[in-house]
Amino acid sequence: RCRAVPVTSGVVVVGEEQGEALRAAWQEHSQNQAVKAEEKRQKRIWDNWRLLIKGLLIKERIIARYDMGSGKEGGGKEKKGKKKGGHVHVFPAKSRRKDKVTGQIVQKCSCGLVVPVESCDEEL
């Protein structure tokens, strides 16, 4: 269904004085729109920077808390990692076993924490 819709582009003004007032109002409106657009752009720029900085701070906090990115690999028979309460998880080599459900090799801390072993030199 196509319906005829008139398209208007422009404004009809009765007198020359009103036309000048309308042009002045239109220029003022255009300037205000340009100022608002620039303010919006600046706000978006600052918000993006703020998000970037917050993200980097969170990343640094996580790396510091969980000691990620240190690049150290444990070559000994025990793995240690700090928990929030001050407890140190110790995984002796004899605590390794094969999980009955998943079939993965896991190791167990004395507190009961069970984690899968990423790489294992010896098979069980």
Side-chain angles (χ1 to χ4, degrees):
R1 295 182 179 192
C2 295
R3 296 184 181 176
V5 178
V7 177
T8 58
S9 59
V11 179
V12 177
V13 180
V14 176
E16 187 67 32
E17 302 86 29
Q18 291 142 351
E20 290 298 321
L22 187 61
R23 283 188 201 98
W26 178 255
Q27 285 179 347
E28 184 179 341
H29 175 72
S30 296
Q31 289 172 352
N32 287 342
Q33 290 292 70
V35 168
K36 285 182 183 179
E38 180 62 25
E39 288 174 355
K40 185 177 179 181
R41 184 177 148 287
Q42 287 291 328
K43 183 182 182 312
R44 191 176 69 237
I45 289 170
W46 286 110
D47 288 344
N48 287 345
W49 272 106
R50 189 175 297 117
L51 284 173
L52 176 68
I53 300 292
K54 282 184 180 182
L56 290 174
L57 289 174
I58 290 170
K59 179 182 174 186
E60 289 297 318
R61 194 175 329 132
I62 288 172
I63 288 173
R65 180 179 292 166
Y66 297 108
D67 196 28
M68 297 169 63
S70 63
K72 297 178 183 176
E73 295 181 7
K77 294 189 177 185
E78 296 183 353
K79 291 186 178 180
K80 295 182 180 181
K82 283 204 170 200
K83 191 179 169 185
K84 194 172 188 178
H87 173 74
V88 176
H89 294 293
V90 178
F91 302 100
K94 65 179 182 179
S95 71
R96 292 182 180 178
R97 61 182 171 83
K98 193 169 191 174
D99 190 4
K100 295 176 185 175
V101 178
T102 61
Q104 289 182 326
I105 298 174
V106 295
Q107 48 191 0
K108 185 176 181 181
C109 179
S110 61
C111 70
L113 177 70
V114 178
V115 294
V117 178
E118 291 90 21
S119 63
C120 183
D121 297 334
E122 56 198 49
E123 280 295 320
L124 294 177

